Amino acid sequence: MKLSKNFTNPLAANNPVIVQILGICSALAVTVKLEPAFVMGLSVIFVTAFSNLIMSLMRNGVPSRIRIIVQLVVIATLVIVVDQFLRAYMYDVSKQLSVYVGLIITNCIVMGRVEAFALGNKPWDSFVDGVANGIGYALILVIVAFFRELFGSGTLFGFDVLSRFGYVNNSLMLFPPMALIIVGVIIWIHRSINKDLQEK
Amino acid sequence: MLNLFINSMLIENMVFAFFFGMCSYIAVSKSVKTALGLGAAVTFVMVMTVPLNYLLNQYVLAPNALAEGVDLSFLSFILFIAVIAAFVQLVEMIVEKFSPSLYNQLGIFLPLIAVNCAIMGGSLFMQQMVGTEINNVGDSIVYGLGSGIGWWLAIVMMAAIREKIEYSHVPAALKGPGIAFIITGLMGIAFMIFSGIQL
């Protein structure tokens, strides 16, 4: 029961991106097209899940004074694994993501979940929490990328959708500021539904 | 060099063009005073870590740099973040020792800087620009300074706008982060006018 709540909570009610405002840094730049957003989402799910698992297994052996360094080493190692994997098997996507794969290291979601959850909970719970927060992040990425690709290039996953209806691409959607405005609107809608999140 | 400075500060502004450092940018932009403090700390750390990482890249990580036939570039993430974390720790200790009053003002922000994407992003972009825009240590210092000041500028402007917005009638669901995102987007559109400037 508790496990399933741990899993569903980060998806909507306590979403890391739109409620806790974490990990925006890398979230927006990769959302011009759906494909890189999707790959980025999967990479972050992998890193949050396994950094949570590993730190949870080590939580009793690491003195709290040096825990930040230990966390950074664990996270950086996982990110290097992801980066090398992408370069080997998905070179085009890896080129599009450029420095943003490396920036998963400084993604506050990863660090935040390790600090807030993995250091005080059992490995399996932490793993589930990591996966769920990764999915919560990926969800927002995919929603933003969906709108930006659909209205910016008229395609979805590279397949032509809108231009056959005579739609003229709005290239403003491809510029960075629109990603911010779309996230702002998502937050607006989300908080209109979940009234308890609204600030006084 | 001036071109690089203007470019990194205004045209390719860390916040508006690359979304770097958004987490602390949204969280700490509630008052101009704290925004000024954090911006100064970020700029300082950036001016120091970008050249450090540049040297590290040139003499250790780049292909054939350490020894003939050795390519350690896959280690760059872990070494860059280690340099940044160690440097932040060092700054924290020095400030605590010599200026306790400044330490109390910046206290909460200093550890946060290690995970500020702008710092790591600056180093990673610097690595990509080696050989084109950045060719020596001086260039990397200028790049670090420009990016840092650009971030500083962005967070202080944002804080000033948010202080004013306190007195406006924003829809309840949009208050706080929602409106901050939309304003940042609009500021980003305004900053797009700088694109194409060459000096």
Side-chain angles (χ1 to χ4, degrees):
Chain A
M1 193 59 210
K2 188 171 159 276
L3 204 64
S4 69
K5 197 157 172 254
N6 275 347
F7 188 76
T8 52
N9 218 17
L11 297 188
N14 200 12
N15 186 293
V17 179
I18 58 174
V19 178
Q20 301 171 29
I21 320 291
L22 294 177
I24 316 284
C25 334
S26 51
L28 302 176
V30 298
T31 52
V32 174
K33 290 258 157 46
L34 264 172
E35 196 189 359
F38 201 72
V39 173
M40 184 73 180
L42 287 181
S43 313
V44 171
I45 293 172
F46 173 83
V47 175
T48 45
F50 282 93
S51 64
N52 259 8
L53 179 68
I54 293 169
M55 283 313 294
S56 176
L57 286 171
M58 302 201 303
R59 69 184 190 279
N60 296 325
V62 180
S64 76
R65 277 190 70 85
I66 59 158
R67 71 180 193 285
I68 304 270
I69 299 281
V70 176
Q71 285 164 17
L72 281 175
V73 171
V74 169
I75 295 168
T77 312
L78 287 166
V79 172
I80 290 175
V81 171
V82 170
D83 185 49
Q84 297 291 322
F85 179 85
L86 289 180
R87 274 186 204 186
Y89 293 101
M90 307 172 90
Y91 189 71
D92 293 339
V93 178
S94 146
K95 267 269 165 282
Q96 284 176 39
L97 291 175
S98 72
V99 300
Y100 293 97
V101 178
L103 287 175
I104 299 177
I105 298 173
T106 52
N107 190 320
C108 336
I109 295 176
V110 184
M111 232 17 200
R113 286 332 286 174
V114 170
E115 279 279 296
F117 198 91
L119 290 178
N121 285 284
K122 292 204 175 72
W124 175 241
D125 288 341
S126 306
F127 185 76
V128 170
D129 181 78
V131 172
N133 276 284
I135 295 176
Y137 170 87
L139 208 62
I140 302 300
L141 234 65
V142 169
I143 294 174
V144 176
F146 175 83
F147 286 111
R148 283 183 83 190
E149 187 175 351
L150 187 65
F151 295 117
S153 329
T155 56
L156 284 177
F157 277 111
F159 294 110
D160 195 5
V161 178
L162 279 184
S163 63
R164 69 186 63 177
F165 303 114
Y167 177 79
V168 180
N169 294 339
N170 178 1
S171 56
L172 184 63
M173 294 300 273
L174 301 179
F175 285 110
M178 282 315 288
L180 291 163
I181 294 178
I182 294 174
V183 173
V185 172
I186 293 175
I187 293 176
W188 189 0
I189 297 169
H190 186 256
R191 295 203 173 182
S192 309
I193 299 166
N194 300 295
K195 291 214 161 47
D196 52 320
L197 290 172
Q198 292 174 5
E199 286 179 20
K200 282 186 263 10
Chain B
M1 245 186 187
L2 187 63
N3 197 19
L4 182 67
F5 181 71
I6 297 290
N7 197 38
S8 54
M9 183 169 80
L10 297 175
I11 304 169
E12 299 193 332
N13 186 289
M14 281 282 168
V15 173
F16 301 127
F18 300 116
F19 319 103
F20 285 168
M22 286 299 287
C23 316
S24 35
Y25 171 82
I26 298 284
V28 190
S29 63
K30 281 181 183 142
S31 89
V32 174
K33 205 166 161 250
T34 48
L36 273 172
L38 182 68
V42 165
T43 309
F44 177 67
V45 173
M46 228 156 146
V47 171
M48 302 308 285
T49 55
V50 171
L52 272 175
N53 282 335
Y54 174 80
L55 292 173
L56 200 64
N57 185 53
Q58 288 309 89
Y59 294 108
V60 180
L61 294 170
N64 298 333
L66 197 62
E68 201 60 37
V70 178
D71 181 0
L72 290 177
S73 54
F74 70 95
L75 281 178
S76 47
F77 294 162
I78 211 163
L79 277 181
F80 284 180
I81 197 72
V83 166
I84 292 167
F87 189 80
V88 170
Q89 201 97 70
L90 202 70
V91 170
E92 199 178 341
M93 287 194 295
I94 292 171
V95 172
E96 190 178 10
K97 177 96 178 129
F98 291 106
S99 172
S101 65
L102 184 66
Y103 179 77
N104 285 333
Q105 276 173 18
L106 285 178
I108 16 162
F109 305 130
L110 275 173
L112 268 181
I113 291 174
V115 287
N116 189 319
C117 341
I119 313 262
M120 183 71 179
S123 288
L124 289 175
F125 267 121
M126 176 275 299
Q127 193 188 25
Q128 286 197 337
M129 284 155 70
V130 166
T132 53
E133 281 107 332
I134 293 175
N135 291 309
N136 53 48
V137 183
D139 287 348
S140 66
I141 294 175
V142 168
Y143 179 71
L145 185 67
S147 312
I149 292 179
W151 197 86
W152 194 352
L153 207 65
I155 193 170
V156 171
M157 286 198 303
M158 186 67 203
I161 295 177
R162 281 181 86 168
E163 278 189 357
K164 285 274 171 213
I165 268 190
E166 286 287 301
Y167 306 106
S168 314
H169 296 286
V170 179
L174 207 51
K175 267 189 188 155
I179 194 76
F181 273 103
I182 292 176
I183 292 171
T184 312
L186 295 175
M187 281 159 76
I189 293 176
F191 260 66
M192 277 163 63
I193 61 163
F194 289 115
S195 59
I197 293 179
Q198 289 279 331
L199 287 175

